[in-house]
Amino acid sequence: MSQADIQEIELDIEQAKALIEKDDALTRLSQNPDFQKVIQEGYLKGEAVRLVHLKADPNMQQPDMQSDIANQITGIGCLFNYLKVIEMQAQHARFAMDEHQQTLNELMMEEGAE
Protein backbone atom coordinates (compact mmCIF):
# COMPACT_ATOMS: atom_id res chain seq x y z
CA MET A 1 0.00 0.00 0.00
CA SER A 2 1.10 3.53 -0.66
CA GLN A 3 1.60 6.52 1.59
CA ALA A 4 -1.70 7.86 0.21
CA ASP A 5 -3.46 4.72 1.48
CA ILE A 6 -1.95 5.22 4.91
CA GLN A 7 -3.02 8.86 4.93
CA GLU A 8 -6.56 7.87 3.92
CA ILE A 9 -6.77 5.36 6.79
CA GLU A 10 -5.41 7.97 9.20
CA LEU A 11 -8.08 10.39 8.00
CA ASP A 12 -10.75 7.71 8.49
CA ILE A 13 -9.50 7.20 12.05
CA GLU A 14 -9.65 10.96 12.74
CA GLN A 15 -13.19 11.14 11.38
CA ALA A 16 -14.20 8.18 13.53
CA LYS A 17 -12.66 9.86 16.58
CA ALA A 18 -14.69 13.01 15.89
CA LEU A 19 -17.93 11.02 15.73
CA ILE A 20 -17.06 9.22 18.95
CA GLU A 21 -16.22 12.52 20.69
CA LYS A 22 -19.59 13.91 19.60
CA ASP A 23 -21.35 10.87 21.05
CA ASP A 24 -19.35 11.19 24.27
CA ALA A 25 -20.51 14.81 24.51
CA LEU A 26 -24.10 13.71 23.94
CA THR A 27 -23.73 11.09 26.67
CA ARG A 28 -22.48 13.72 29.11
CA LEU A 29 -25.25 16.06 28.05
CA SER A 30 -27.95 13.41 28.46
CA GLN A 31 -26.74 12.80 32.01
CA ASN A 32 -27.22 16.47 32.88
CA PRO A 33 -30.38 16.87 35.01
CA ASP A 34 -31.28 20.14 33.27
CA PHE A 35 -31.05 18.51 29.83
CA GLN A 36 -33.16 15.61 31.09
CA LYS A 37 -35.78 17.98 32.50
CA VAL A 38 -35.96 20.46 29.63
CA ILE A 39 -35.22 18.38 26.54
CA GLN A 40 -35.81 14.70 27.25
CA GLU A 41 -38.81 15.00 29.56
CA GLY A 42 -40.12 18.45 28.68
CA TYR A 43 -39.73 18.53 24.91
CA LEU A 44 -39.26 15.03 23.53
CA LYS A 45 -41.94 13.54 25.77
CA GLY A 46 -44.17 16.17 27.34
CA GLU A 47 -44.43 18.51 24.39
CA ALA A 48 -44.98 15.59 22.01
CA VAL A 49 -47.92 14.36 24.08
CA ARG A 50 -49.33 17.88 24.39
CA LEU A 51 -49.18 18.41 20.64
CA VAL A 52 -50.81 15.06 19.85
CA HIS A 53 -53.68 15.94 22.17
CA LEU A 54 -53.86 19.42 20.69
CA LYS A 55 -54.08 17.92 17.20
CA ALA A 56 -57.28 16.12 18.27
CA ASP A 57 -58.76 19.19 19.99
CA PRO A 58 -62.01 20.26 18.24
CA ASN A 59 -60.96 23.91 18.63
CA MET A 60 -57.73 23.30 16.71
CA GLN A 61 -59.13 21.81 13.49
CA GLN A 62 -58.52 24.74 11.16
CA PRO A 63 -56.05 23.73 8.42
CA ASP A 64 -53.46 26.33 9.40
CA MET A 65 -53.56 25.21 13.04
CA GLN A 66 -53.30 21.54 12.08
CA SER A 67 -50.36 22.32 9.81
CA ASP A 68 -48.58 24.23 12.58
CA ILE A 69 -49.12 21.39 15.06
CA ALA A 70 -47.90 18.81 12.53
CA ASN A 71 -44.77 20.88 11.88
CA GLN A 72 -44.04 21.08 15.60
CA ILE A 73 -44.49 17.31 15.95
CA THR A 74 -42.13 16.83 13.01
CA GLY A 75 -39.58 19.09 14.72
CA ILE A 76 -39.63 16.90 17.81
CA GLY A 77 -39.13 13.83 15.64
CA CYS A 78 -36.23 15.49 13.84
CA LEU A 79 -34.43 16.32 17.09
CA PHE A 80 -35.01 12.80 18.41
CA ASN A 81 -33.72 11.35 15.14
CA TYR A 82 -30.66 13.63 15.20
CA LEU A 83 -29.72 12.41 18.67
CA LYS A 84 -30.19 8.77 17.65
CA VAL A 85 -28.10 9.26 14.49
CA ILE A 86 -25.23 10.58 16.61
CA GLU A 87 -25.37 7.41 18.69
CA MET A 88 -25.55 5.12 15.65
CA GLN A 89 -22.73 6.89 13.83
CA ALA A 90 -20.52 6.60 16.89
CA GLN A 91 -21.32 2.91 17.24
CA HIS A 92 -20.30 2.34 13.62
CA ALA A 93 -17.25 4.59 14.06
CA ARG A 94 -16.05 2.60 17.08
CA PHE A 95 -16.20 -0.60 15.08
CA ALA A 96 -14.59 0.96 12.00
CA MET A 97 -11.89 2.66 14.03
CA ASP A 98 -10.77 -0.67 15.46
CA GLU A 99 -10.54 -2.10 11.94
CA HIS A 100 -8.76 0.97 10.57
CA GLN A 101 -6.30 1.00 13.46
CA GLN A 102 -5.50 -2.68 12.86
CA THR A 103 -5.01 -2.07 9.13
CA LEU A 104 -2.83 0.96 9.83
CA ASN A 105 -0.68 -1.04 12.25
CA GLU A 106 -0.25 -3.78 9.62
CA LEU A 107 0.71 -1.22 6.97
CA MET A 108 3.22 0.43 9.27
CA MET A 109 4.78 -2.95 10.02
CA GLU A 110 4.97 -3.71 6.27
CA GLU A 111 6.63 -0.37 5.58
CA GLY A 112 9.08 -0.99 8.40
CA ALA A 113 9.94 -4.38 6.95
CA GLU A 114 10.63 -2.95 3.50
Side-chain angles (χ1 to χ4, degrees):
M1 293 200 127
S2 68
Q3 185 63 29
D5 294 327
I6 291 173
Q7 287 176 338
E8 184 176 333
I9 292 171
E10 289 173 336
L11 179 60
D12 289 342
I13 290 170
E14 289 305 311
Q15 290 171 340
K17 284 180 182 178
L19 291 171
I20 292 167
E21 287 173 9
K22 191 175 191 180
D23 183 56
D24 291 344
L26 178 58
T27 297
R28 289 189 303 275
L29 187 62
S30 67
Q31 293 169 349
N32 180 299
D34 291 335
F35 181 83
Q36 292 170 357
K37 183 178 183 177
V38 174
I39 301 299
Q40 292 175 332
E41 295 299 322
Y43 185 65
L44 296 176
K45 291 181 183 173
E47 184 66 1
V49 169
R50 186 188 78 80
L51 289 168
V52 168
H53 289 135
L54 197 59
K55 191 153 180 57
D57 185 327
N59 297 318
M60 303 299 287
Q61 295 305 308
Q62 293 84 354
D64 60 328
M65 291 178 171
Q66 287 291 304
S67 177
D68 185 49
I69 294 167
N71 288 339
Q72 291 179 61
I73 292 170
T74 299
I76 292 170
C78 289
L79 176 59
F80 182 81
N81 187 56
Y82 174 73
L83 299 174
K84 289 300 172 192
V85 166
I86 290 171
E87 292 173 357
M88 289 188 319
Q89 287 176 332
Q91 183 179 11
H92 292 288
R94 283 182 175 91
F95 178 76
M97 192 167 75
D98 290 341
E99 287 186 352
H100 291 317
Q101 192 62 53
Q102 183 178 354
T103 302
L104 183 61
N105 291 341
E106 290 170 3
L107 290 174
M108 299 290 212
M109 289 177 67
E110 285 177 14
E111 283 213 350
E114 290 177 6

